[in-house]
Each structure stands twice: as structure tokens, then as C-alpha cells.
Amino acid sequence: MRVLVTGGAGYIGSVAVDSLIGAGHDVCVFDNLYMGHREAVNSAAEFVEGDLADRAQINEVMSRFQAEAVMHFASYSLVGESVEEPLKYLGDNVSNAVNLIDAALNAGVQRFILSSTANLFDDPETIPISESEKIVPGSPYGESKNIIERILKWVQETKGLRYAALRYFNAAGCTPIKGEDHTPETHLIPLVLQVALGQREKIMIFGGDYDTPDGTCVRDYIHVEDLAQAHILALEALETNETLRFNLGNGNGFSVKDVIETVREVTGHPIPAEVTDRREGDPAKLVADSSKIRRELGWQPRHTDMKSIIQSAWDWHQAHPEGYGS
Ligand code: UDP
């Protein structure tokens, strides 16, 4: 298929592009390089440096490329920042998605895949969290994805655009050629690896008084390659399904302290750590029940072991200590 990928120069999007190309699809990456890296874009993909705020541009690219499907990765995605700057999320994330969906409809696109988030579930009644859990966004970021999911629901019902909402838990790990390189970096695993690389003195643990076994937040870390594979399966499944909603994780919870301990094991570095205040917008525990996508699409994560996920990230960060600029 001809797939337009927004955010295809970013951490998750660039790996999905590699998987799409590996599966024989034609890809156009549309990315403003605000967070992404030109070097991360597969050379077999067409690249357009573009901004979703520019309606004319996305309409032109969508129709010229004759897209049949869209994968929408491009988004502001930081929980903490969204609490500081809510309108960047509730405004820009939402209006950019509306521009993209509109362009998709204008070009006759049939399938749309949205990167959604576990931050929809701030107050889960049942852990692991299934798709039937009530939606209570934990932050303006989570709310922006909730709004976009709801827009897609209405557009599906009224205009027939088939869509999949993939709620990622914590994307982690690297492939041999694609890694995590954000400026500024705010994510736990790359930050802890920066300590191991000697680029940072210590890791700050955001909150040690959560209602979890060791008092630090528990997350479900899922390898980017497994996330990418879920996108390929969802793309195929939209041939016959009008709406798909899936929670995507490994189903195993790891606390911040568990992650730091695993990095110590993998790198052999002592990783000094210090507990500080909680970060606003962080739920205590997010672990996915992904049995629905396993059952319905046959998705099978390949990287289920935390040590190997961190090893894959460590390999990439050692090879690219300054990120893509190395
Ligand atoms: N975290 C932390 N110290 C850091 C960065 C993150 O303790 O320097 C915690 C954060 O509060 C959360 C977990 O690590 O509980 C994962 O955070 P990350 O930003 O990697 O992903 P998110 O859960 O926001 O998607």
C-alpha cells in the first residue's frame, strides 16, 4: 500500500517506516523535524519536511503521493510538558490531527492508524488494563489523544474512514540502526543510559511514595520493533475492520527502581540515583492487558525480557553517544 507516515523521522515512527518498507509498502514520511532526525528516515522512503499546521501542504502531499493509508505518529508527547503547556497539546496536537484527517478524507484515504497512549488510563479499576477500562486521561497529553480518538470515531461513523487507535504503553529499546534521541531527553531509559555513558552524574527518581511495591512508578515497557509490528498488523486488519482499539504492552510491570537496577546489570555501571518530587501527570501504575490484539490480530511481541530491551538500547547508545549526530 501507499502509506503516508507523519513523524516518520521520530523514535517510533522511523522504526515503523523500516517495518513498512520491509513488508513491501511504499512510504512517504511527512515530518517537521521538530523532534525527528532526517538521518532516521529510511532511504527507500520519500521524505517531505512539512508541518501539519499547514493545511495546504498536507493536502497537497497527501493527494500527490496518492496515499491509501496514514500512520500518524507526529505529536507532542510529553506528559510533564503537557501539564505546563496544556494548549500545546489540547490545541496543536488536536488541530494538527484534524488537518491530517481532513486531508486524508479529501484524498480518499481508507485507513488511518493513530498513535495513542496509556495516559488515557489515569485511574484504572483493573490492572493489567484492558480496552474496556474507563477512559480517564491523566494529563492534557492523554486528553489530546482521547479527543483525537473521539474525532476518529465520528469521522468513521459519518465518512467511513476506517481507523485503529493503538494505545502505547512505554516504548523502549532500539534496533541496530534506529534509536531514541530526543532533545531535551526526558525519558527514563535513555536518561539512565546517559548516566552509564558518563554524560550525567545521576538519575532522579520522580516520586518514591507511590502506592506500588517499592514506592516508584510502575510501567510496561514495550520494544519499538514490537510496536512497529502491531502497526503492520493493524494496517492489514483495517481491510475488513472499521474500528480497532488496542492496548499495547508486554503485560509486565517494572518500577523505576527495577529499570535502574536492570541498567546496572546490563552496563556494569553503579548508576547513582536520588528520589525527588513526583512529576505531575504520572499515574502510579500502567500495565497493559494486550490479549485483545494477540487474539484478534495474532500479535506476538518478540522482546519480552527487560534485560534484552535495555541491552538493545545500550548497544545503540554506545554506538551513538551523541544520538544521530554521532
Ligand atoms: N522517570 C523518572 N526520572 C526521570 C524520567 C522519568 O523517575 O528522569 C519516571 C517517570 O516519572 C515515569 C517513568 O519514569 O514514572 C517513565 O517515564 P518516561 O518519561 O520514560 O515515560 P512516560 O511514562 O512519561 O511515557
Side-chain angles (χ1 to χ4, degrees):
M1 295 192 82
R2 301 182 63 76
V3 188
L4 185 129
V5 181
T6 74
Y11 170 46
I12 305 171
S14 64
V15 178
V17 169
D18 289 353
S19 298
L20 281 166
I21 287 170
H25 297 288
D26 292 320
V27 176
C28 174
V29 168
F30 187 92
D31 196 302
N32 63 6
L33 300 181
Y34 173 76
M35 290 296 272
H37 304 274
R38 182 67 184 88
E39 306 90 306
V41 179
N42 190 305
S43 57
E46 179 184 339
F47 176 71
V48 176
E49 185 170 348
D51 201 306
L52 290 170
D54 184 342
R55 294 181 76 142
Q57 186 186 24
I58 185 59
N59 268 283
E60 187 274 316
V61 173
M62 189 79 75
S63 69
R64 181 181 49 72
F65 178 66
Q66 297 182 309
E68 297 165 285
V70 169
M71 289 191 184
H72 181 36
F73 294 92
S75 158
Y76 299 117
S77 60
L78 302 178
V79 167
E81 181 188 68
S82 81
V83 176
E84 306 287 320
E85 295 182 69
L87 295 182
K88 187 165 169 181
Y89 288 74
L90 298 166
D92 295 3
N93 268 4
V94 173
S95 64
N96 288 344
V98 168
N99 289 348
L100 179 65
I101 295 165
D102 185 47
L105 288 175
N106 292 339
V109 166
Q110 302 277 324
R111 309 180 199 196
F112 192 103
I113 299 182
L114 173 71
S115 303
S116 189
T117 175
N119 199 260
L120 298 183
F121 308 112
D122 190 45
D123 186 22
E125 258 163 36
T126 311
I127 293 179
I129 301 168
S130 76
E131 292 77 4
S132 58
E133 184 59 64
K134 66 180 184 312
I135 290 181
V136 180
S139 68
Y141 166 60
E143 184 70 91
S144 74
K145 295 292 183 174
N146 183 37
I147 294 168
I148 299 166
E149 284 201 20
R150 294 187 57 75
I151 290 170
L152 283 168
K153 171 187 170 286
W154 285 110
V155 171
Q156 194 288 314
E157 283 181 23
T158 56
K159 301 285 183 185
L161 178 66
R162 299 197 287 271
Y163 78 97
L166 302 182
R167 286 94 172 246
Y168 310 160
F169 281 60
N170 284 59
C174 301
T175 76
I177 51 170
K178 298 288 154 68
E180 190 165 9
D181 177 7
H182 301 112
T183 308
E185 188 54 78
T186 63
H187 293 100
L188 180 64
I189 292 175
L191 285 175
V192 185
L193 292 175
Q194 285 179 5
V195 180
L197 283 171
Q199 296 172 342
R200 181 176 292 271
E201 197 187 319
K202 60 186 169 190
I203 185 76
M204 303 304 291
I205 298 175
F206 297 149
D209 58 351
Y210 284 96
D211 184 16
T212 59
D214 68 15
T216 67
C217 285
V218 170
R219 294 288 180 272
D220 180 335
Y221 294 88
I222 168 169
H223 196 280
V224 275
E225 259 174 358
D226 290 326
L227 274 183
Q229 188 53 27
H231 286 74
I232 304 287
L233 294 173
L235 181 67
E236 290 164 2
L238 285 176
E239 182 163 0
T240 48
N241 291 274
E242 290 176 343
T243 300
L244 297 168
R245 293 189 199 94
F246 293 120
N247 294 354
L248 278 171
N250 273 318
N252 297 314
F254 290 87
S255 72
V256 174
K257 285 186 175 169
D258 290 334
V259 170
I260 295 169
E261 193 49 43
T262 310
V263 174
R264 288 185 182 123
E265 281 175 37
V266 168
T267 65
H269 190 284
I271 314 284
E274 187 180 318
V275 176
T276 181
D277 294 343
R278 292 181 176 197
R279 184 176 70 180
E280 264 193 272
D282 272 341
K285 195 169 180 194
L286 293 173
V287 179
D289 174 353
S290 297
S291 52
K292 185 165 177 261
I293 187 166
R294 289 172 194 255
R295 198 173 53 243
E296 293 184 7
L297 305 193
W299 179 68
Q300 190 63 50
R302 286 178 46 237
H303 308 264
T304 50
D305 168 49
M306 191 61 182
K307 214 169 160 179
S308 71
I309 292 176
I310 288 182
Q311 182 71 53
S312 73
W314 180 228
D315 292 344
W316 192 83
H317 285 275
Q318 280 182 295
H320 303 84
E322 307 299 330
Y324 280 101
S326 303

